[in-house]
């Protein structure tokens, strides 16, 4: 028998409308325009915010670089400036996720490493949170290695259940933002600083776990698997090699985790059982290792091109060359086989 | 005109004018540099120019000929993006020429976009904000307690970067350890990157916060040379607490049309360069050489060279004896420390779990308790290792090193040689559950360029791993386990970086099984089971995951029908399995089947978890049979 009786106030009903992710305005870029995938992220996020009232965005004083500021402009009451404090940025995102929002947490990819413990715990907390890291790789150029994300794919691949996405053009970036929101769980989106050409039509779809075979012939000597900036290098290499009478297959691996195992195994089996992976990331734990994981039980030959050693300041093109992940490096590798 | 060492007298009117002129010349360099490079942070640099002039030309004791002298004052530019002001200061000091600084950010120039120790006058890389104060605290701790020397440490931070929690970890550490040889300067220029900082110019609030953290906080006008020098003199005579100068400044100071305005972060001045140069040059009262030299160093820090460090005696274990590799850590440090006094260990309130406590009990003066603040602990470790003053070991639960991944990442760019030791690896820790389990630590540490990653499976190999780590001139990470495991090596066994060990071998081996740590023992158990069923497997103890023993993995793979099974107490991504798969990938023809922890584990007994999550002896047996089917 209890002398006291508690009469707590009932919960306040927050909206639970999680529909309308696919009702985002489609991408709209002229075919010959060069647009950075970070810009695609900004545009995609703003459109997503218009389609879905549960989407919120947080950033750590980099919103004019990650382009989260586009969301802020359209939906100022759903944007949270977290200042230069990434641990708290992620923690607040987790809190918002647990209360039914769909948070998109952005900063430079390199600085998400500041919150790796929080990201690790967000998986144990089963948080429906989306992370976006911009300025990946040496392709950021002159700012140098302190600002370059070169271990972010490894970091997020090691998170159980996380989806890891790496769009190669602004169309894919916009679409993958919507896919990320539709997915229930942790998603990481990797974006680049430099402007790159548009590769896909506005109505192209990018299902999680898929990939795009964007160059293919019956004479392909080898398959090159790339994403982001190196996908464009692979396309340049394709042209150079075509002029030399050599054909290569190219796969845009926009979904690094989950990975399209079947497509990779099929491509390998049709191109001399050989894959070349190219990434603007360290060799460990990234796109190359993800591909390796997918084909390791098949004994496929995999050659990994990646950034080895600490990088430095320089022009993006010069750094891609210096680190052996440029079109020339791909051509050289193909010719050496 | 001299105060005591480290206690600069106040500058007279002439000296103030000279210092002001130097600051303005630095501003000219800053504009010219960033114009030439077409990128950079001139406004962030300009707000700090007067402060740097005071430091470099009135206060600090250092040598232009030997910028990394062991006894010189240290300077850390925590707001690394303002490196043009640092290069400008060294230019005025005579180390860099006016032509050379115009090569800022070019691919063939040492003057990178953010500071790196590739330049011999810079100790650590900065550019990821909020890390400099921890490093400076480590340098100051070394000066006060290890070197017992006169040198002092100065660290300048931006106001935006003090939003980082790591800054406050460093602040708490510094006052707790009474680092009165440490001066922090906060360049409060009000403007962050994408908008104004949360506190703007509320210098009172900054002062209150630093005071609350046990510092002596002084508010100054950061553009008033006399006021800055006065505050630095006060710092030099303040005992038992560090000093923080809260310097009120303007971003882009003295640049017309730019000063204190939004939207100028990280941009060269462009059309505003002309007016800026004109305005600043007009303020310079004397264009001749300033004639100032840095204050002379008091050479009282001990001279240090690192010998080849050895265990004072070889391992003394019995085969089959059960010892946890985490326990061996403390014992190994004691055995290393007997021969060499500059081995220091740090821990974050887990010393009775990581066994750093064994070293603390033996040599308390060489142990630094960092409390529950891993970011700061790693930064302090990096600082203690600067200028080759100490061989540093930093221990924590391996899972909690994820808290300091950015600091570890930057440490590699800083060319640090810190040895990280992470205990409580994997689901084999048992009941504490996943928040305490390291299952992604190798994914993290293997990405660190040049890092060596050890995963010893017994006490003998663990002792040798720590010995190798102490001698390796680069980052190392050693993973230790919680459960006690059997000794499998003779005390005379030798180990090398990049070399694995074959523990079971026969002519009829059908599959190679590679394990490490607890799974090595599971592999040995699986070997026994399979042997009784007439199936022979080769068992490899990885011991070193990076660099991976490529030759051995390829040899074993080829010798066992192109079949390798890897098994690790770690997630699938980024660990042992990927390392082995990558090692054999270029040759082709070797199939690698990886066993790893299949999902987020839960609380439970270690043996049960290893079974449920796919890495037990049983699971290995099944995997081998499947490969042979």
């Amino acid at each position: 028998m209890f002398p006291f009786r508690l009469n707590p106030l009932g919960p306040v009903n927050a909206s639970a409308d999680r529909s309308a992710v696919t009702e985002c305005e489609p991408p709209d870029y002229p075919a010959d325009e060069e647009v950075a995938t970070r810009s695609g992220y900004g545009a995609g996020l703003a459109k997503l915010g218009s389609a879905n009232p549960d989407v919120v965005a947080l950033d750590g004083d980099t919103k004019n670089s990650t382009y989260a500021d586009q969301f802020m402009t359209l939906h100022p009451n759903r944007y949270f400036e977290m200042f230069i404090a990434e641990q708290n940025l992620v923690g607040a995102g987790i809190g918002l996720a647990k209360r039914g929002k769909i948070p998109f947490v952005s900063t430079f990819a390199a600085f998400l490493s500041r919150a790796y413990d929080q990201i690790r715990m967000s998986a144990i907390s089963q948080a429906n949170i989306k992370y976006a890291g911009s300025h990946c790789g040496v392709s950021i150029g002159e700012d140098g290695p302190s600002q370059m994300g070169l271990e972010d794919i490894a970091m997020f691949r090691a998170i159980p259940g996380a989806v890891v996405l790496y769009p190669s053009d602004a169309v894919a970036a916009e679409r993958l933002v919507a896919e990320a929101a539709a997915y229930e769980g942790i998603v990481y989106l990797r974006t680049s600083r430099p402007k790159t050409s548009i590769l896909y039509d506005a109505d192209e779809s990018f299902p999680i776990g898929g990939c795009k075979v964007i160059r293919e012939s019956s004479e392909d000597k080898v398959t090159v698997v790339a994403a982001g900036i190196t996908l464009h290098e692979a396309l340049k290499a394709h042209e150079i090699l075509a002029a030399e009478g050599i054909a290569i297959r190219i796969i845009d691996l926009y979904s690094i985790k989950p990975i399209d195992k079947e497509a990779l195994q099929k491509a390998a089996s049709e191109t001399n059982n050989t894959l070349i992976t190219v990434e603007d990331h360290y060799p460990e734990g990234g796109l190359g290792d993800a591909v390796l994981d997918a084909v390791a039980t098949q004994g496929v030959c995999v050659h990994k091109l990646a950034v080895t050693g600490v990088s430095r300041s320089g022009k993006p093109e010069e750094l891609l060359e210096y680190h052996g992940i440029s079109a020339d490096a791909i051509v050289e590798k193909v010719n050496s086989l | 005109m001299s105060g005591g060492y480290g206690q600069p007298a106040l500058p007279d009117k002439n000296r103030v004018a000279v210092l002001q002129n130097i600051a303005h010349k630095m501003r000219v360099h800053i504009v010219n540099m960033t114009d030439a490079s077409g990128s950079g942070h001139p406004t962030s640099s300009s707000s700090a120019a007067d402060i740097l002039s005071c430091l470099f030309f009135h206060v600090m004791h250092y040598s232009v000929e030997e910028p990394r002298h062991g006894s010189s004052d240290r300077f850390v530019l925590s707001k690394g993006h303002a490196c043009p002001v640092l290069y400008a200061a060294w230019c005025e000091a005579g180390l860099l020429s006016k032509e050379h600084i115009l090569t800022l950010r070019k691919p063939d120039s040492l003057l990178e976009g953010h500071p790196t120790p590739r330049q011999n006058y810079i100790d650590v890389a900065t550019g990821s904000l909020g890390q400099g104060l921890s490093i400076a605290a480590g340098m100051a701790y070394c000066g006060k307690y290890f070197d017992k020397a006169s040198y002092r440490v100065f660290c300048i931070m931006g106001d935006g970067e003090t939003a980082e929690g790591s800054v406050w970890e460093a602040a708490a550490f510094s006052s707790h350890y009474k680092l009165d040889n440490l001066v922090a300067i906060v360049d409060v220029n009000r403007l962050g990157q994408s908008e104004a900082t949360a506190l703007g110019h509320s210098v009172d609030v900054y002062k209150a916060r630093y005071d609350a953290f046990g510092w002596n906080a002084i508010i100054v006008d950061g553009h008033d040379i006399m006021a800055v020098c006065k505050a630095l003199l006060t710092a030099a005579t303040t005992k038992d607490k560090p000093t923080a100068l809260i310097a009120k400044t303007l971003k882009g100071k003295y640049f017309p049309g730019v000063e204190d305005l939004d939207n100028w972060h990280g941009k060269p001045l462009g059309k505003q360069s002309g007016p800026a140069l004109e305005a600043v040059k007009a303020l310079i009262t004397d264009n001749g050489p300033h004639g100032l030299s840095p204050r002379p160093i008091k050479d009282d820090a001990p001279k240090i060279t690192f010998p080849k460090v050895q265990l004072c005696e070889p391992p003394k274990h019995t085969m089959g004896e059960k010892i946890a590799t985490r326990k061996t850590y403390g014992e190994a440090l004691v055995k290393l420390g007997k021969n060499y006094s500059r081995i220091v260990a740090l821990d974050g309130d887990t010393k009775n779990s990581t066994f750093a406590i064994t070293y603390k009990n033996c040599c308390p003066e060489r142990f630094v308790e960092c409390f529950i603040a891993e970011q700061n602990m790693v930064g302090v470790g990096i600082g203690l290792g600067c200028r080759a003053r100490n061989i540093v070991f930093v221990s924590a639960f391996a899972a909690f090193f994820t808290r300091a991944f950015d600091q570890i990442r930057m440490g590699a760019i800083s060319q640090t040689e810190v040895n990280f030791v992470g205990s409580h690896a994997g689901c084999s820790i048992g009941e504490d559950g996943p928040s305490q389990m390291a299952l992604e630590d190798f994914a993290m540490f293997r990405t660190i360029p040049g890092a060596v990653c050890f995963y010893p499976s017994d006490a003998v190999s663990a002792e040798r791993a720590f010995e190798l780590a102490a001698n390796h001139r680069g980052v190392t990470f050693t993973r230790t386990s919680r459960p006690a495991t059997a000794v499998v090596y003779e005390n005379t066994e030798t180990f090398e970086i990049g070399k694995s060990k074959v523990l079971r071998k026969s002519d009829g081996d059908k599959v190679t099984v590679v394990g490490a740590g607890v799974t090595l023992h599971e592999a040995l158990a699986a070997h026994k089971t399979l042997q009784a069923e007439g199936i022979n497997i080769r068992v490899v103890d990885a011991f070193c995951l990076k660099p991976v023993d490529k030759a051995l993995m390829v040899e074993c793979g080829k010798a066992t029908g192109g079949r390798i099974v890897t098994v690790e107490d770690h997630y699938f991504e980024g660990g042992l399995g990927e390392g082995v798969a990558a090692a054999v990938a270029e040759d082709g023809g070797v199939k690698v089947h990886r066993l790893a922890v299949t999902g987020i584990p839960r609380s439970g007994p270690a043996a049960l978890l290893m079974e449920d999550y796919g890495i037990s002896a049983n699971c290995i047996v099944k995997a081998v049979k499947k490969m042979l089917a």
Side-chain angles (χ1 to χ4, degrees):
Chain A
M1 218 208 27
F2 299 105
F4 304 107
R5 193 171 180 75
L6 291 178
N7 289 303
L9 298 169
V12 174
N13 267 332
S15 98
D17 175 17
R18 299 171 82 70
S19 65
V21 174
T22 48
E23 285 164 32
C24 297
E25 289 296 306
D28 182 22
Y29 303 104
D32 57 355
E33 193 176 330
E34 296 223 318
V35 185
T37 52
R38 58 175 174 139
S39 304
Y41 171 77
L45 187 63
K47 290 172 184 175
L48 177 69
S50 302
N52 187 318
D54 280 335
V55 170
V56 300
L58 303 86
D59 192 284
D61 194 23
T62 54
K63 57 186 179 285
N64 57 341
S65 297
T66 59
Y67 291 120
D69 57 358
Q70 292 186 36
F71 182 97
M72 181 187 75
T73 306
L74 274 186
H75 316 287
N77 62 333
R78 279 189 272 147
Y79 173 79
F80 302 95
E81 181 50 62
M82 303 306 289
F83 303 100
I84 306 175
E86 294 75 19
Q87 297 183 95
N88 188 57
L89 166 70
V90 170
I94 294 168
L96 283 160
K98 296 313 281 183
R99 299 307 294 176
K101 301 300 176 191
I102 307 176
F104 280 75
V105 169
S106 58
T107 182
F108 281 30
F111 304 144
L112 285 170
S113 67
R114 193 60 158 270
Y116 194 29
D117 198 11
Q118 282 80 359
I119 291 165
R120 177 185 80 89
M121 290 299 293
S122 76
I124 303 173
S125 294
Q126 301 168 15
N128 183 32
I129 183 170
K130 325 298 168 181
Y131 300 103
S134 71
H135 292 67
C136 68
V138 305
S139 55
I140 71 165
E142 286 84 348
D143 263 0
S146 65
Q147 317 291 302
M148 297 169 173
L150 289 159
E151 54 287 287
D152 52 314
I153 300 178
M155 187 166 81
F156 279 100
R157 279 184 64 241
I159 300 295
V163 165
V164 178
L165 303 171
Y166 190 6
S168 300
D169 81 341
V171 168
E174 283 200 35
R175 287 306 192 194
L176 288 175
V177 167
E179 292 291 341
Y183 177 82
E184 192 77 26
I186 294 173
V187 179
Y188 174 58
L189 271 148
R190 186 185 214 228
T191 67
S192 306
R193 177 177 178 255
K195 295 193 166 124
T196 45
S197 41
I198 301 294
L199 302 170
Y200 298 105
D201 291 334
D203 59 0
E204 187 82 27
S205 72
F206 296 86
I208 289 173
C211 68
K212 301 282 182 193
V213 182
I214 58 170
R215 293 286 183 274
E216 188 174 27
S217 82
S218 52
E219 312 289 315
D220 295 330
K221 174 181 176 182
V222 69
T223 300
V224 174
V225 186
I229 210 89
T230 55
L231 194 272
H232 295 267
E233 293 302 304
L235 288 169
K236 286 188 215 151
H238 182 275
E239 277 187 45
I240 296 170
L241 288 162
E244 299 177 17
I246 300 168
I248 57 170
R249 190 161 302 188
I250 300 181
I251 291 181
D252 175 2
L253 199 71
Y254 68 84
S255 178
I256 296 180
K257 177 175 174 171
I259 199 169
D260 196 339
K261 215 171 175 174
E262 287 74 39
L264 289 167
Q265 289 179 0
K266 174 173 187 281
S269 70
E270 291 172 6
T271 63
N272 294 306
N273 207 39
T274 307
L275 302 175
I276 298 172
T277 64
V278 198
E279 61 194 297
D280 198 352
H281 186 276
Y282 287 137
E284 294 87 2
L287 180 150
D289 275 352
V291 169
L292 257 172
D293 288 355
V295 301
T297 51
Q298 312 298 311
V300 172
C301 218
V302 179
H303 298 268
K304 243 192 315 187
L305 297 178
V307 175
T308 48
V310 173
S311 190
R312 50 156 302 122
S313 287
K315 289 204 181 69
E317 324 71 76
E318 288 163 338
L319 292 175
L320 291 178
E321 198 64 56
Y322 175 73
H323 286 291
I325 55 171
S326 63
D328 285 345
I330 298 170
V331 169
E332 201 181 312
K333 185 49 118 173
V334 172
N335 282 331
S336 77
L337 298 173
Chain B
M1 257 227 325
S2 59
Y5 181 87
Q7 297 173 14
L10 287 178
D12 62 12
K13 238 173 62 177
N14 288 334
R15 177 59 67 92
V16 170
V18 174
L19 293 172
Q20 186 65 82
N21 278 334
I22 294 174
H24 289 323
K25 286 177 189 174
M26 284 165 56
R27 287 188 169 93
V28 171
H29 296 320
I30 287 163
V31 177
N32 287 336
M33 266 191 270
T34 50
D35 276 355
S37 63
S39 67
H41 304 71
T43 54
S44 312
S45 303
S46 178
S47 58
D50 307 294
I51 295 164
L52 257 80
S53 178
C54 294
L55 283 172
F56 275 76
F57 299 100
H58 192 69
V59 172
M60 294 200 308
H61 300 254
Y62 64 99
S63 159
V64 176
E65 293 73 36
E66 220 185 309
R68 288 226 190 108
H69 196 290
S71 293
S72 71
D73 287 345
R74 276 72 159 146
F75 175 76
V76 178
L77 182 71
S78 188
K79 53 178 283 184
H81 53 283
C83 57
V85 74
L86 181 62
Y87 302 153
W90 281 101
C91 174
E92 286 299 313
L95 183 67
L96 304 171
S97 72
K98 271 197 269 192
E99 295 69 40
H100 187 203
I101 60 175
L102 294 179
T103 65
L104 172 72
R105 295 174 160 236
K106 300 269 186 290
D108 50 359
S109 171
L110 275 182
L111 298 182
E112 297 199 32
H114 289 78
T116 115
R118 289 184 176 128
Q119 300 146 45
N120 70 342
Y121 48 94
I122 289 173
D123 288 292
V124 288
T126 50
S128 179
L129 298 174
Q131 301 190 22
L133 191 60
S134 294
I135 295 170
M139 293 170 164
Y141 191 101
C142 182
K144 186 172 171 108
Y145 296 108
F146 296 143
D147 288 340
K148 300 188 175 40
S150 307
Y151 65 80
R152 308 185 75 243
V153 184
F154 301 88
C155 175
I156 186 165
M157 297 181 279
D159 50 353
E161 83 171 293
T162 63
E164 288 285 8
S166 53
V167 168
W168 300 97
E169 293 182 20
F173 176 92
S174 302
S175 63
H176 178 74
Y177 286 109
K178 302 184 176 2
L179 300 180
D180 47 14
N181 56 346
L182 174 64
V183 179
I185 301 134
V186 188
D187 179 358
V188 184
N189 65 20
R190 187 180 77 81
L191 297 171
Q193 172 181 312
S194 67
E195 65 180 76
T197 64
L199 292 177
H201 269 147
S202 307
V203 287
D204 286 349
V205 177
Y206 284 107
K207 174 174 157 59
R209 291 182 183 185
Y210 278 92
D211 282 338
F213 272 73
W215 286 56
N216 177 29
I218 309 173
I219 296 171
V220 288
D221 175 349
H223 300 302
D224 179 341
I225 300 276
M226 177 63 88
V228 171
C229 288
K230 216 173 188 164
L232 290 169
L233 170 63
T234 308
T237 54
T238 302
K239 291 286 160 244
D240 291 341
K241 36 164 74 167
T243 298
L245 265 66
I246 312 298
K248 185 172 178 183
T249 60
L250 296 179
K251 196 155 177 166
K253 176 75 175 170
Y254 296 117
F255 301 155
V258 174
E259 178 185 285
D260 200 36
L261 295 178
D262 281 330
N263 281 316
W264 279 102
H265 177 86
K267 295 178 184 163
L269 299 187
K271 290 204 195 77
Q272 299 300 123
S273 295
L277 287 169
E278 207 185 305
V280 173
K281 282 178 180 171
L283 297 170
I284 299 174
T285 56
D286 182 346
N287 274 300
H290 53 71
L292 297 182
S293 303
R295 292 192 186 273
I297 295 170
K298 184 170 183 185
D299 198 357
D300 58 2
K303 300 274 176 278
I304 299 180
T305 46
F306 292 149
K308 183 160 152 62
V309 185
Q310 287 178 301
L311 297 168
C312 63
E313 54 178 20
K316 277 202 170 90
H317 300 292
T318 321
M319 282 288 242
E321 181 193 356
K322 288 206 163 188
I323 313 168
T325 51
R326 61 174 173 138
K327 186 152 185 282
T328 309
Y329 170 58
E331 293 164 0
L333 276 190
V334 171
K335 288 168 83 166
L336 291 169
K338 275 221 169 57
N339 278 340
Y340 187 61
S341 64
R342 299 297 292 214
I343 294 187
V344 303
L346 290 73
D347 193 280
D349 195 23
T350 53
K351 56 188 179 286
N352 54 342
S353 296
T354 60
F355 282 91
I357 196 170
T358 312
Y359 191 61
K360 180 189 178 192
N361 291 339
C362 147
C363 318
E365 74 288 356
R366 295 192 236 150
F367 177 80
V368 186
E369 178 54 63
C370 295
F371 304 102
I372 307 176
E374 295 78 14
Q375 295 185 93
N376 183 61
M377 173 170 71
V378 170
V380 167
I382 292 169
L384 286 171
C386 282
R387 303 200 188 188
R389 308 306 297 164
N390 300 290
I391 294 176
V392 181
F393 282 82
V394 175
S395 58
F397 278 33
F400 304 144
F401 276 128
T402 56
R403 194 60 157 267
F405 189 13
D406 197 13
Q407 281 77 0
I408 295 165
R409 179 185 78 88
M410 288 298 293
I413 305 171
S414 294
Q415 299 172 11
T416 191
E417 297 177 4
V418 169
N419 303 295
F420 297 99
V421 182
S423 71
H424 292 67
C427 67
S428 54
I429 72 166
E431 285 82 350
D432 263 0
S435 64
Q436 318 292 300
M437 296 169 176
L439 292 156
E440 57 288 284
D441 49 323
F442 277 125
M444 184 170 75
F445 277 103
R446 281 182 64 250
T447 64
I448 303 297
V452 169
C453 296
F454 294 115
Y455 191 5
S457 304
D458 80 342
V460 171
S461 54
E463 280 192 46
R464 291 301 184 190
F466 295 122
E467 183 182 52
L468 288 167
N471 287 296
H472 181 65
R473 297 278 75 85
V475 169
T476 71
F477 169 61
T478 305
R479 194 190 213 221
T480 66
S481 305
R482 178 173 178 257
T485 47
V487 172
V488 297
Y489 293 105
E490 300 288 352
N491 291 319
T492 48
E493 190 80 32
T494 57
F495 295 83
E496 288 172 61
I497 291 174
K499 292 271 179 272
S500 301
K501 295 282 188 188
V502 179
L503 284 185
R504 297 285 184 272
K505 184 179 176 173
S506 82
D507 284 335
D509 293 333
K510 294 274 189 289
V511 175
T512 297
V513 175
V514 185
V518 294
T519 59
L520 187 270
H521 299 272
E522 296 300 308
L524 291 172
H527 176 273
K528 232 180 172 161
T529 305
L530 287 163
Q531 195 172 53
E533 298 181 30
I535 301 170
N536 284 340
I537 58 168
R538 189 157 303 188
V539 177
V540 174
D541 176 12
F543 177 68
C544 185
L545 269 67
K546 175 172 170 160
V548 68
D549 193 342
K550 186 174 177 175
L552 184 79
M553 298 302 169
V554 171
E555 181 198 321
C556 288
K558 291 202 166 134
T560 59
R563 291 180 286 262
I564 297 181
V565 170
T566 62
V567 51
E568 58 195 299
D569 197 353
H570 187 279
Y571 287 136
F572 281 91
E573 295 85 1
L576 169 68
E578 273 187 12
V580 170
V584 303
E586 285 190 351
D587 282 60
V590 177
K591 300 182 183 181
V592 180
H593 183 83
R594 293 167 304 129
L595 294 175
V597 175
T598 52
I600 299 178
R602 46 153 301 125
S603 288
L608 187 61
L609 291 176
M610 290 203 286
E611 180 68 42
D612 281 355
Y613 287 93
I615 59 170
S616 66
N618 224 2
C619 301
I620 297 170
V621 168
K622 287 202 186 104
V624 166
K625 287 182 173 169
K626 189 162 173 222
M627 244 192 160
L628 293 173

